[in-house]
Amino acid sequence: MALSSAPGKVYLFGEHAVVYGEPAVPCAIEQRARVGVERRDDEKIRVNAEDLSLDGFTVEYGGRTEDEPDIDVSESLLAAATGYVDEAIAQVRAVTGEEDVGFDVTIESDIPLGAGLGSSAAVAVAAIDAGTRELGTTLEVEEIADRAFRTEYEVQDGQASRADTFCSATGGAVRVEGDDCRTIDAPDLPIVIGFDGGAGDTGQLVSDVRDLREEYEFAANTVESIGNIVRNGEQALADGDVEELGRLMNFNHGLLSALGVSSRSLDAMVWAARDADAYGAKLTGSGGGGCIVALDPSEATETALKFTPGCEDAFRAELADEGVCRLE
Ligand code: PMV
């Protein structure tokens, strides 16, 4: 068996706008997905992901998705996770040329699903690395990032940027603008995450923003303004100016709200962090529900979030310097 892990991420700046060619700065965090892949004697893919969400599940199915799963997971977010594994395995088969190989895939993850922390990217990155290594091929990090991007692109019907997958593959803070992805220097950031227990529908939210941008000039301008904030944010990161980073995150959240992708619980958590004197706070990822990211070196934000209606969990996150990691 080959076992790999890959980190989740928060967006310091730039989600949604990155889909339209503006820059974004995601940052890998030490919440990880671990994927074990073992070759089978037949062509089946068996996915075992007991720790992936609140309810454990095991799905067995043949080939890609030609056959029905043995159990119905269609109502569940786990169905989406299974889709990412399926496509990641398709990438493994394509890159190794071993089209008929089957696998037992085991997933464990500390990253809530669909909550803006890059769970699907982390699963795709770790699965591609472990799957290819199981077949005796070791890919460069850039190739893993590219294959994981193609995985997300397929599963999300062409609505994906390279940001999450590149960040998860390389670790650290990353700057993404179109196809140009690179790691950038970042100071140690006092990251606090608030989680409302929910999830957003990334595909739907991305297409809602697309429609808004086509219909209203203000929305197109808002997307551009987010790009400007990202460029200011890059400078603040380079200067190690955490106060300015926080201020810019607050602006970024306001603009995401204007695009309609925040929610009552995300706003409540953002305001709880601001009231607790965090340097700044914003939603992370596609929005609609899920997580916020705040910067606060003190305990105040974490404590305040725990008493905020709508907040289910609050925790600190360390920047993950290491991206995909080969465990076995
Ligand atoms: O919710 P997440 O973590 O999948 O992030 C989505 C970020 C978007 O910019 C909205 C879409 C994308 O692919 O970049």
Side-chain angles (χ1 to χ4, degrees), residues 9 11 15-16 18-19 116-118 159-161 164 202 206 285-286:
K9 61 101 222 326
Y11 271 96
E15 55 273 86
H16 284 288
V18 70
V19 175
L117 298 185
Q159 309 206 88
S161 72
D164 285 27
T202 301
V206 169
S286 54

PDB file of all heavy atoms in Angstrom, residues 9 11 15-16 18-19 116-118 159-161 164 202 206 285-286, ligand 1:
ATOM      1  N   LYS A   9      -6.539  24.087   3.119  1.00  0.00           N
ATOM      2  CA  LYS A   9      -6.082  25.475   2.930  1.00  0.00           C
ATOM      3  C   LYS A   9      -7.154  26.465   3.367  1.00  0.00           C
ATOM      4  O   LYS A   9      -8.329  26.109   3.502  1.00  0.00           O
ATOM      5  CB  LYS A   9      -5.709  25.740   1.457  1.00  0.00           C
ATOM      6  CG  LYS A   9      -6.887  25.540   0.485  1.00  0.00           C
ATOM      7  CD  LYS A   9      -7.509  26.820   0.056  1.00  0.00           C
ATOM      8  CE  LYS A   9      -8.981  26.881  -0.017  1.00  0.00           C
ATOM      9  NZ  LYS A   9      -9.899  25.910  -0.359  1.00  0.00           N
ATOM     10  N   TYR A  11      -8.298  30.506   2.208  1.00  0.00           N
ATOM     11  CA  TYR A  11      -8.006  31.623   1.304  1.00  0.00           C
ATOM     12  C   TYR A  11      -7.768  32.851   2.155  1.00  0.00           C
ATOM     13  O   TYR A  11      -8.686  33.322   2.833  1.00  0.00           O
ATOM     14  CB  TYR A  11      -9.202  31.904   0.389  1.00  0.00           C
ATOM     15  CG  TYR A  11      -9.207  31.131  -0.895  1.00  0.00           C
ATOM     16  CD1 TYR A  11      -9.913  29.947  -1.012  1.00  0.00           C
ATOM     17  CD2 TYR A  11      -8.500  31.586  -2.009  1.00  0.00           C
ATOM     18  CE1 TYR A  11      -9.933  29.244  -2.201  1.00  0.00           C
ATOM     19  CE2 TYR A  11      -8.508  30.878  -3.199  1.00  0.00           C
ATOM     20  CZ  TYR A  11      -9.225  29.711  -3.288  1.00  0.00           C
ATOM     21  OH  TYR A  11      -9.234  29.018  -4.461  1.00  0.00           O
ATOM     22  N   GLU A  15     -10.772  34.292  -3.377  1.00  0.00           N
ATOM     23  CA  GLU A  15     -11.668  33.281  -3.936  1.00  0.00           C
ATOM     24  C   GLU A  15     -12.746  33.947  -4.790  1.00  0.00           C
ATOM     25  O   GLU A  15     -13.045  35.126  -4.632  1.00  0.00           O
ATOM     26  CB  GLU A  15     -12.308  32.413  -2.844  1.00  0.00           C
ATOM     27  CG  GLU A  15     -13.053  33.129  -1.757  1.00  0.00           C
ATOM     28  CD  GLU A  15     -12.146  33.537  -0.616  1.00  0.00           C
ATOM     29  OE1 GLU A  15     -11.554  34.638  -0.739  1.00  0.00           O
ATOM     30  OE2 GLU A  15     -12.054  32.831   0.401  1.00  0.00           O
ATOM     31  N   HIS A  16     -13.311  33.200  -5.664  1.00  0.00           N
ATOM     32  CA  HIS A  16     -14.286  33.637  -6.670  1.00  0.00           C
ATOM     33  C   HIS A  16     -13.634  34.525  -7.735  1.00  0.00           C
ATOM     34  O   HIS A  16     -13.711  34.197  -8.917  1.00  0.00           O
ATOM     35  CB  HIS A  16     -15.523  34.329  -6.064  1.00  0.00           C
ATOM     36  CG  HIS A  16     -16.464  33.344  -5.445  1.00  0.00           C
ATOM     37  ND1 HIS A  16     -17.241  32.491  -6.197  1.00  0.00           N
ATOM     38  CD2 HIS A  16     -16.725  33.039  -4.145  1.00  0.00           C
ATOM     39  CE1 HIS A  16     -17.949  31.704  -5.391  1.00  0.00           C
ATOM     40  NE2 HIS A  16     -17.649  32.016  -4.135  1.00  0.00           N
ATOM     41  N   VAL A  18     -10.672  34.728  -8.497  1.00  0.00           N
ATOM     42  CA  VAL A  18      -9.626  33.950  -9.163  1.00  0.00           C
ATOM     43  C   VAL A  18     -10.182  33.203 -10.381  1.00  0.00           C
ATOM     44  O   VAL A  18      -9.462  32.961 -11.358  1.00  0.00           O
ATOM     45  CB  VAL A  18      -8.948  32.965  -8.154  1.00  0.00           C
ATOM     46  CG1 VAL A  18      -9.882  31.837  -7.736  1.00  0.00           C
ATOM     47  CG2 VAL A  18      -7.640  32.420  -8.691  1.00  0.00           C
ATOM     48  N   VAL A  19     -11.467  32.892 -10.359  1.00  0.00           N
ATOM     49  CA  VAL A  19     -12.099  32.194 -11.488  1.00  0.00           C
ATOM     50  C   VAL A  19     -12.064  33.076 -12.744  1.00  0.00           C
ATOM     51  O   VAL A  19     -12.076  32.585 -13.864  1.00  0.00           O
ATOM     52  CB  VAL A  19     -13.552  31.797 -11.114  1.00  0.00           C
ATOM     53  CG1 VAL A  19     -14.290  31.172 -12.291  1.00  0.00           C
ATOM     54  CG2 VAL A  19     -13.564  30.851  -9.913  1.00  0.00           C
ATOM     55  N   GLY A 116     -14.896  24.991   2.610  1.00  0.00           N
ATOM     56  CA  GLY A 116     -13.980  26.081   2.256  1.00  0.00           C
ATOM     57  C   GLY A 116     -12.558  25.849   2.695  1.00  0.00           C
ATOM     58  O   GLY A 116     -11.709  26.731   2.583  1.00  0.00           O
ATOM     59  N   LEU A 117     -12.273  24.632   3.196  1.00  0.00           N
ATOM     60  CA  LEU A 117     -10.900  24.334   3.632  1.00  0.00           C
ATOM     61  C   LEU A 117     -10.179  23.388   2.664  1.00  0.00           C
ATOM     62  O   LEU A 117      -9.147  22.808   3.014  1.00  0.00           O
ATOM     63  CB  LEU A 117     -10.893  23.732   5.051  1.00  0.00           C
ATOM     64  CG  LEU A 117     -11.442  24.624   6.174  1.00  0.00           C
ATOM     65  CD1 LEU A 117     -11.247  23.950   7.532  1.00  0.00           C
ATOM     66  CD2 LEU A 117     -10.779  26.002   6.189  1.00  0.00           C
ATOM     67  N   GLY A 118     -10.728  23.229   1.478  1.00  0.00           N
ATOM     68  CA  GLY A 118      -9.991  22.492   0.444  1.00  0.00           C
ATOM     69  C   GLY A 118      -9.939  20.993   0.650  1.00  0.00           C
ATOM     70  O   GLY A 118      -8.944  20.352   0.289  1.00  0.00           O
ATOM     71  N   GLN A 159     -15.635  24.246 -13.588  1.00  0.00           N
ATOM     72  CA  GLN A 159     -15.605  25.460 -12.765  1.00  0.00           C
ATOM     73  C   GLN A 159     -14.609  25.274 -11.621  1.00  0.00           C
ATOM     74  O   GLN A 159     -15.005  24.987 -10.494  1.00  0.00           O
ATOM     75  CB  GLN A 159     -16.991  25.762 -12.208  1.00  0.00           C
ATOM     76  CG  GLN A 159     -18.037  25.757 -13.285  1.00  0.00           C
ATOM     77  CD  GLN A 159     -19.231  26.614 -12.934  1.00  0.00           C
ATOM     78  OE1 GLN A 159     -19.273  27.811 -13.206  1.00  0.00           O
ATOM     79  NE2 GLN A 159     -20.199  26.017 -12.320  1.00  0.00           N
ATOM     80  N   ALA A 160     -13.356  25.390 -11.932  1.00  0.00           N
ATOM     81  CA  ALA A 160     -12.334  25.247 -10.881  1.00  0.00           C
ATOM     82  C   ALA A 160     -11.111  26.067 -11.254  1.00  0.00           C
ATOM     83  O   ALA A 160     -10.765  26.165 -12.432  1.00  0.00           O
ATOM     84  CB  ALA A 160     -11.930  23.786 -10.727  1.00  0.00           C
ATOM     85  N   SER A 161     -10.485  26.671 -10.262  1.00  0.00           N
ATOM     86  CA  SER A 161      -9.200  27.320 -10.509  1.00  0.00           C
ATOM     87  C   SER A 161      -8.111  26.366 -10.032  1.00  0.00           C
ATOM     88  O   SER A 161      -8.393  25.345  -9.408  1.00  0.00           O
ATOM     89  CB  SER A 161      -9.116  28.641  -9.744  1.00  0.00           C
ATOM     90  OG  SER A 161      -8.976  28.365  -8.361  1.00  0.00           O
ATOM     91  N   ASP A 164      -6.627  25.773  -5.168  1.00  0.00           N
ATOM     92  CA  ASP A 164      -6.683  24.790  -4.077  1.00  0.00           C
ATOM     93  C   ASP A 164      -5.706  23.649  -4.283  1.00  0.00           C
ATOM     94  O   ASP A 164      -5.012  23.231  -3.361  1.00  0.00           O
ATOM     95  CB  ASP A 164      -8.074  24.122  -4.038  1.00  0.00           C
ATOM     96  CG  ASP A 164      -9.137  25.016  -3.473  1.00  0.00           C
ATOM     97  OD1 ASP A 164      -8.990  26.228  -3.583  1.00  0.00           O
ATOM     98  OD2 ASP A 164     -10.118  24.479  -2.927  1.00  0.00           O
ATOM     99  N   THR A 202     -20.214  24.587  -4.097  1.00  0.00           N
ATOM    100  CA  THR A 202     -19.240  25.391  -4.844  1.00  0.00           C
ATOM    101  C   THR A 202     -19.710  25.671  -6.278  1.00  0.00           C
ATOM    102  O   THR A 202     -19.686  26.818  -6.728  1.00  0.00           O
ATOM    103  CB  THR A 202     -17.863  24.682  -4.872  1.00  0.00           C
ATOM    104  OG1 THR A 202     -17.439  24.505  -3.530  1.00  0.00           O
ATOM    105  CG2 THR A 202     -16.816  25.493  -5.610  1.00  0.00           C
ATOM    106  N   VAL A 206     -20.371  29.402  -7.654  1.00  0.00           N
ATOM    107  CA  VAL A 206     -19.551  29.943  -8.744  1.00  0.00           C
ATOM    108  C   VAL A 206     -20.457  30.386  -9.889  1.00  0.00           C
ATOM    109  O   VAL A 206     -20.280  31.472 -10.447  1.00  0.00           O
ATOM    110  CB  VAL A 206     -18.486  28.907  -9.219  1.00  0.00           C
ATOM    111  CG1 VAL A 206     -17.815  29.360 -10.513  1.00  0.00           C
ATOM    112  CG2 VAL A 206     -17.438  28.690  -8.136  1.00  0.00           C
ATOM    113  N   GLY A 285     -13.122  30.208   0.896  1.00  0.00           N
ATOM    114  CA  GLY A 285     -13.661  29.255  -0.083  1.00  0.00           C
ATOM    115  C   GLY A 285     -14.904  29.801  -0.757  1.00  0.00           C
ATOM    116  O   GLY A 285     -15.107  31.010  -0.828  1.00  0.00           O
ATOM    117  N   SER A 286     -15.739  28.906  -1.212  1.00  0.00           N
ATOM    118  CA  SER A 286     -16.854  29.367  -2.037  1.00  0.00           C
ATOM    119  C   SER A 286     -17.943  30.050  -1.229  1.00  0.00           C
ATOM    120  O   SER A 286     -18.752  30.785  -1.777  1.00  0.00           O
ATOM    121  CB  SER A 286     -17.429  28.210  -2.845  1.00  0.00           C
ATOM    122  OG  SER A 286     -17.758  27.147  -2.009  1.00  0.00           O
TER     123      SER A 286
HETATM  124  O1  PMV B   1     -14.937  26.152  -1.398  1.00  0.00           O
HETATM  125  P1  PMV B   1     -13.608  25.768  -1.930  1.00  0.00           P
HETATM  126  O2  PMV B   1     -12.583  25.516  -0.891  1.00  0.00           O
HETATM  127  O3  PMV B   1     -13.689  24.614  -2.939  1.00  0.00           O
HETATM  128  O4  PMV B   1     -13.045  27.014  -2.771  1.00  0.00           O
HETATM  129  C1  PMV B   1     -13.671  27.456  -3.946  1.00  0.00           C
HETATM  130  C2  PMV B   1     -12.949  28.657  -4.461  1.00  0.00           C
HETATM  131  C3  PMV B   1     -13.553  29.306  -5.690  1.00  0.00           C
HETATM  132  O5  PMV B   1     -12.726  30.405  -6.019  1.00  0.00           O
HETATM  133  C4  PMV B   1     -14.945  29.823  -5.394  1.00  0.00           C
HETATM  134  C5  PMV B   1     -13.627  28.357  -6.877  1.00  0.00           C
HETATM  135  C6  PMV B   1     -12.266  27.956  -7.409  1.00  0.00           C
HETATM  136  O6  PMV B   1     -12.176  26.858  -7.996  1.00  0.00           O
HETATM  137  O7  PMV B   1     -11.303  28.721  -7.295  1.00  0.00           O
END
